[in-house]
C-alpha cells in the first residue's frame, strides 16, 4: 500500500455507502490516472438498472473510457471496496488498468487472488499489479451490515 492510496479508498467507500443507501450491494470504485486525477467513480447499480454488468468497477471503467475517449486506460489505478469478480477483473485486464487496490477480499468470487487470479494470469496479454486489504475493515463492515439488515 502507498500512503496516497487511502484518500482514494475513502472516496470508494463513500460510493459504496451511496449504493447501500439506494438498496444496492455496497461496493464502490474510483479510477485514477497517473497524475492522481479521478477519472470516474461509481457504486453498484445492477438492481436499479436491471443490468447484471452494472458493478461499480464496470460503471467506473465505462465513464472513464468515455471521458478519455479511449477504451484503453493504461497507467490507471482502480480503487474498489471489494475484490473484483471474474467479469470485472477481465474488463480491467482488457482496459489495461495498471493497478487494482481493493478493500475486502471476496472468498466466493474474488478474481484477484482469492478464488481466481485473472488480474495476474500469465496466459493473458496484460497483468495488473494488485494490492488487497486497503480499507478492508470498513469495506467488510459495510457488506456485513448490508446483508445482516436483509436477513
Amino acid at each position: 500500500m502507498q500512503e496516497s492510496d487511502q484518500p482514494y479508498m475513502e472516496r470508494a467507500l463513500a460510493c459504496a455507502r451511496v449504493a447501500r443507501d439506494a438498496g444496492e450491494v455496497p461496493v464502490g470504485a474510483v479510477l485514477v490516472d497517473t497524475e492522481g486525477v479521478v477519472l470516474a467513480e461509481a457504486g453498484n447499480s445492477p438492481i436499479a438498472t436491471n443490468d447484471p454488468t452494472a458493478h461499480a468497477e464496470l460503471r467506473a471503467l465505462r465513464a472513464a473510457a468515455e471521458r478519455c475517449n479511449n477504451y484503453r486506460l493504461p497507467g490507471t489505478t482502480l480503487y474498489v471496496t471489494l475484490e473484483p469478480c471474474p467479469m470485472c477483473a477481465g474488463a480491467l485486464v482488457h482496459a489495461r488498468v495498471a493497478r487494482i487496490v481493493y478493500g475486502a477480499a471476496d472468498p466466493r468470487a474474488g478474481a484477484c487472488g482469492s478464488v481466481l487470479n485473472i488480474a495476474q494470469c500469465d496466459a493473458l496479454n496484460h497483468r495488473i499489479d494488485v494490492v488487497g486489504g486497503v480499507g478492508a475493515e470498513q469495506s467488510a463492515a459495510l457488506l456485513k451490515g448490508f446483508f445482516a439488515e436483509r436477513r
Side-chain angles (χ1 to χ4, degrees):
M1 178 181 98
Q2 299 172 5
E3 236 180 84
S4 60
D5 290 338
Q6 197 59 44
Y8 297 114
M9 186 56 76
E10 291 297 329
R11 285 184 76 153
L13 285 161
C15 291
R17 289 183 194 99
V18 170
R20 175 202 60 202
D21 295 346
E24 302 280 353
V25 175
V27 177
V30 175
L31 191 68
V32 178
D33 73 8
T34 57
E35 303 298 317
V37 174
V38 173
L39 298 175
E41 57 187 18
N44 268 0
S45 70
I47 297 167
T49 61
N50 295 310
D51 179 359
T53 70
H55 289 194
E57 301 96 318
L58 292 186
R59 293 184 64 225
L61 273 181
R62 288 178 186 133
E66 187 172 329
R67 177 178 175 175
C68 296
N69 200 33
N70 193 342
Y71 73 105
R72 299 276 196 233
L73 300 164
T76 57
T77 297
L78 180 81
Y79 296 87
V80 61
T81 57
L82 180 65
E83 180 182 0
C85 72
M87 173 182 67
C88 293
L92 293 163
V93 167
H94 285 295
R96 305 297 192 267
V97 168
R99 190 166 172 253
I100 297 169
V101 179
Y102 71 84
D106 186 347
R108 291 186 177 178
C112 293
S114 290
V115 177
L116 303 169
N117 199 345
I118 292 171
Q120 296 175 330
C121 179
D122 288 335
L124 300 176
N125 63 346
H126 177 72
R127 277 158 286 301
I128 303 172
D129 292 332
V130 176
V131 177
V134 177
E137 289 180 18
Q138 302 97 312
S139 298
L142 274 172
L143 290 160
K144 287 177 185 171
F146 176 81
F147 287 113
E149 285 181 18
R150 296 187 75 110
R151 289 188 182 117

